[in-house]
Amino acid sequence: YQKSLQIRKKLQDHNHPDLGLCYTAIGGIHIKKKNFDEALKNFEHHLRILLKHFDEDHYDVARCFRNIGKIYEEKNQMNAALEFYIKARESLAKQYPEEFPLLMEVNKSLARVYYLQQKYPEAVTYLEKNYAALLKTRGADDPIAVSIKQAIDEIKKMIKH
């Protein structure tokens, strides 16, 4: 990917959106190596390029927000993770229904981070969004819907105690 990036830099403007794909790929490799600081640098560089061409409501920008949130979550920087997951959710929710896969993935991430922070009502909110979306698309008997419903019920029990 580094070689691809070097070639693209020679052929394209340094802020061309296609260069961002190289930065994302390189960032992905750093994630696999658990080198989160380098991954973050690459994803942030990709985000800067994207924001020169698109607004925050663009799908690729939202996906980049989500990726940065994942890195912060891996680094155990939960408030920063929430910041980027919320940006991703706000962007996606303007364009897509709740059943949209990436939006559901972001909801799951938000629920997980809120749960880890012991902010259980917030976690339930995002789990319920995914549960409602799954009821609409797959029905109550879907194994994932059943699992989410069980998680919601367990967390609600925790809230009562």
Side-chain angles (χ1 to χ4, degrees):
Y1 292 110
Q2 288 285 1
K3 190 169 211 130
S4 173
L5 179 61
Q6 291 168 356
I7 292 168
R8 286 179 187 251
K9 281 183 174 180
K10 288 178 185 175
L11 298 174
Q12 297 171 323
D13 174 44
H14 286 267
N15 291 314
H16 193 282
D18 287 348
L19 286 177
L21 300 174
C22 291
Y23 287 110
T24 292
I26 294 167
I29 291 168
H30 285 296
I31 288 172
K32 287 180 182 175
K33 292 180 176 183
K34 306 270 188 228
N35 189 353
F36 300 119
D37 290 331
E38 283 300 313
L40 186 58
K41 286 179 193 175
N42 280 277
F43 282 109
E44 287 174 338
H45 195 85
H46 184 201
L47 180 60
R48 282 192 299 276
I49 291 171
L50 288 172
L51 290 173
K52 289 181 181 179
H53 298 277
F54 309 112
D55 65 18
E56 288 192 0
D57 293 339
H58 191 274
Y59 174 80
D60 290 339
V61 174
R63 203 170 74 203
C64 198
F65 285 150
R66 188 273 324 255
N67 290 340
I68 292 171
K70 285 173 74 171
I71 294 168
Y72 279 120
E73 185 178 351
E74 286 289 339
K75 292 177 66 159
N76 205 30
Q77 295 179 11
M78 298 307 179
N79 288 334
L82 281 175
E83 176 187 342
F84 282 92
Y85 287 148
I86 289 168
K87 284 182 178 186
R89 178 168 169 59
E90 288 172 350
S91 174
L92 292 165
K94 290 178 185 174
Q95 307 171 70
Y96 301 102
E98 288 292 330
E99 307 84 50
F100 188 69
L102 185 59
L103 184 53
M104 291 182 70
E105 185 180 323
V106 170
N107 286 341
K108 180 179 169 184
S109 297
L110 282 163
R112 182 178 52 249
V113 171
Y114 280 125
Y115 181 84
L116 291 170
Q117 291 183 322
Q118 299 181 345
K119 295 179 179 177
Y120 301 127
E122 292 87 344
V124 167
T125 296
Y126 291 102
L127 288 173
E128 286 177 337
K129 289 179 184 300
N130 278 1
Y131 183 66
L134 284 169
L135 287 179
K136 194 173 178 183
T137 59
R138 297 184 183 185
D141 294 332
D142 177 74
I144 297 171
V146 169
S147 176
I148 291 174
K149 179 65 171 136
Q150 289 170 343
I152 291 167
D153 292 344
E154 287 298 315
I155 295 170
K156 283 184 175 181
K157 285 180 193 174
M158 293 168 66
I159 292 169
K160 289 180 183 178
H161 291 101

